Amino acid sequence: MFAHNKRLQYTVRVSESNPGLANLLLEQFGGPQGELAAACRYFTQALAEDDPGRKDMLMDIATEELSHLEVIGTMVAMLNKGAKGRIAEGIDSEAEMYRSITGAGNDSHLTQVLYGGGPPLTNSGGVPWTAAYIDTIGEPTADLRSNIAAEARAKIVYERLINCTDDPGVKEALGFLMTREVSHQRSFEKALYAISPNFPPGKLPPHPEFAKVYFNMSPGEGDVRGPWNSDENFDYREAAPAVDGGDGLGEVILSATEDATLSATIIRTQSDPASDPVTGAELGMGSLDDDSLETPSQVGGSEK
Ligand code: MN
Ligand code: MN
């Protein structure tokens, strides 16, 4: 079950109205790296998880992310409070209202006019939140890696947002939210390494003849060797087709009916390499050197 506590996980102190900043913060409300995406990601993973430790951790973190959603959403609402009253009561002249709304920065006019200053489930560009942000696949050694990357991305977005404001209260709360993502990343990493073995993900082993091969698919000046392709770690090979030793071509075995039908399609749509058809684009150009081409007047009846 869920119960709501009337107090936030972290106190939100906003110094002044700032609809432009509110709009930027929406990135972490309804954006791909935002708190709703994080909460839904871990909540759905927790529901399916059978390991008691991971299930408990996922539920703890999912619930904390919902609490973060509340904090960031509250900041958006506070930053929009001044504009909310102004536009709802229509106290300014139309020109002054227009200037204050459109001059607030980025797309904040949209959140004010369309959403009345409340936090919509969109990102900072107005793109609606979507469940497609969540890439859970139901295998913990793959999902935990994705969760680690998701926390890293969320941390970076918070860092960028912190660099966009000098409001001390907003900076402080964003710093808390950023720090919690670092802590979550650490838990997910520990949980991943608590599964042994965890690499590669899944049960099927990789094919040994390709598992430790590095293909230099972009050969030439600029090739760099490092641990990601070193001789100690990999068999470094130059790009070459058909690494399996076959002819590198695609083939399929068809039934007699399939074969006959496909052949008919191929014959019907075959190209004639010896042809040189006149195109509409060429006719439209009008002044072609080739006398054998019809001029536009001949085609269209124009006097020109
Ligand atoms: Mn969070
Ligand atoms: Mn997190």
Side-chain angles (χ1 to χ4, degrees), residues 42 61 65 151 181 184:
Y42 309 139
I61 298 182
E65 304 294 18
E151 294 291 342
E181 315 309 15
H184 295 164

Side-chain angles (χ1 to χ4, degrees), residues 136-144 195 201-203:
T136 297
I137 201 165
E139 155 62 42
T141 58
D143 287 338
L144 285 168
I195 304 170
K203 185 177 175 188

Side-chain angles (χ1 to χ4, degrees), residues 38-269:
C40 291
R41 164 188 286 268
Y42 309 139
F43 179 64
T44 49
Q45 287 177 16
L47 292 178
E49 183 57 74
D50 291 306
D51 181 86
R54 281 198 301 274
K55 189 184 184 78
D56 186 42
M57 172 193 68
L58 287 163
M59 214 41 110
D60 280 334
I61 298 182
T63 308
E64 179 170 0
E65 304 294 18
L66 267 185
S67 305
H68 294 176
L69 184 71
E70 190 180 23
V71 169
I72 193 88
T74 300
M75 276 196 276
V76 171
M78 296 298 157
L79 288 163
N80 274 333
K81 285 291 184 203
K84 179 184 177 178
R86 244 192 354 261
I87 199 167
E89 301 306 317
I91 55 162
D92 299 327
S93 72
E94 289 90 340
E96 177 61 23
M97 187 71 78
Y98 184 86
R99 193 198 58 75
S100 76
I101 285 176
T102 56
N106 56 72
D107 291 326
S108 62
H109 58 282
L110 189 132
T111 42
Q112 293 177 69
V113 174
L114 187 55
Y115 303 112
L121 282 173
T122 68
N123 78 349
S124 58
V127 178
W129 188 85
T130 165
Y133 291 154
I134 292 148
D135 57 8
T136 297
I137 201 165
E139 155 62 42
T141 58
D143 287 338
L144 285 168
R145 286 190 164 86
S146 181
N147 296 353
I148 290 164
E151 294 291 342
R153 294 192 297 267
K155 195 268 180 185
I156 294 300
V157 175
Y158 275 123
E159 191 168 321
R160 292 173 182 169
L161 290 173
I162 287 166
N163 291 338
C164 289
T165 177
D166 57 1
D167 186 319
V170 174
K171 247 184 162 50
E172 215 179 276
L174 289 176
F176 168 76
L177 295 174
M178 179 193 78
T179 302
R180 293 306 300 153
E181 315 309 15
V182 175
S183 174
H184 295 164
Q185 182 174 349
R186 190 155 177 260
S187 287
F188 289 137
E189 268 202 79
K190 297 273 188 194
L192 173 64
Y193 303 143
I195 304 170
S196 183
N198 63 65
F199 184 84
K203 185 177 175 188
L204 285 178
H207 295 184
E209 66 271 37
F210 300 124
K212 292 187 174 170
V213 172
Y214 184 94
F215 291 118
N216 182 22
M217 301 298 282
S218 170
E221 204 178 331
D223 278 351
V224 178
R225 303 295 302 275
W228 54 85
N229 62 11
S230 67
D231 291 329
E232 301 87 76
N233 295 329
F234 291 92
D235 170 12
Y236 188 89
R237 292 193 212 161
E238 294 304 325
V243 295
D244 62 324
D247 61 13
L249 300 173
E251 64 177 50
V252 58
I253 297 170
L254 299 177
S255 71
T257 313
E258 288 170 331
D259 194 43
T261 318
L262 181 64
S263 295
T265 304
I266 292 169
I267 289 165
R268 183 166 54 76
T269 58

